[in-house]
Amino acid sequence: MTQARLFANVIGAALITGFLGALAALFVVPIPEANRDLVTYMLGQLSGFAGGIIAYHYASKAGDTRAQDLDAARSVNLGKTVDLAREALAATPSGPVKATIVNDDADPVPVTPA
């Protein structure tokens, strides 16, 4: 591992640890009313940094053939879903549908006539 990569990993771990620590501190340390907005803003910034770090380490990289295969499979599945939705819409009757309600005499369901 290069020095730059090690430094980036240490910074990432420090930011995520800082975010989790600040989040835990919110349950223990009372925030003065005058600083409430500042703490909320800073915690939002830390959450963005932590999210960026997680996305960098766990998101698929450009040019990764596994990611390209997964994207192709998702595209095929999306096309199938759209086709099924179109078929369902085409099969839906456009006018009113007549339904017959069958009520058991032993245990009837109360219905009010229209």
Side-chain angles (χ1 to χ4, degrees), residues 39-62:
V39 170
T40 303
Y41 174 77
M42 293 307 294
L43 192 60
Q45 292 296 314
L46 278 174
S47 71
F49 290 140
I53 292 164
I54 298 299
Y56 173 78
H57 284 287
Y58 295 105
S60 61
K61 307 287 190 273

Side-chain angles (χ1 to χ4, degrees), residues 4-108:
R5 183 78 338 240
L6 176 64
F7 181 71
N9 288 338
V10 169
I11 293 295
L15 283 170
I16 289 176
T17 303
F19 170 67
L20 294 175
L23 192 61
L26 285 178
F27 293 100
V28 180
V29 179
I31 301 170
E33 189 63 38
N35 294 341
R36 191 170 302 271
D37 290 339
L38 178 64
V39 170
T40 303
Y41 174 77
M42 293 307 294
L43 192 60
Q45 292 296 314
L46 278 174
S47 71
F49 290 140
I53 292 164
I54 298 299
Y56 173 78
H57 284 287
Y58 295 105
S60 61
K61 307 287 190 273
D64 186 4
T65 57
R66 291 173 297 171
Q68 291 172 352
D69 293 342
L70 184 58
D71 286 343
R74 286 180 182 152
S75 178
V76 168
N77 287 338
L78 178 62
K80 290 178 183 177
T81 303
V82 170
D83 291 341
L84 286 173
R86 284 186 184 138
E87 288 175 20
L89 286 173
T92 303
S94 59
V97 177
K98 185 172 182 169
T100 304
I101 299 174
V102 179
N103 237 344
D104 186 11
D105 291 334
D107 187 24

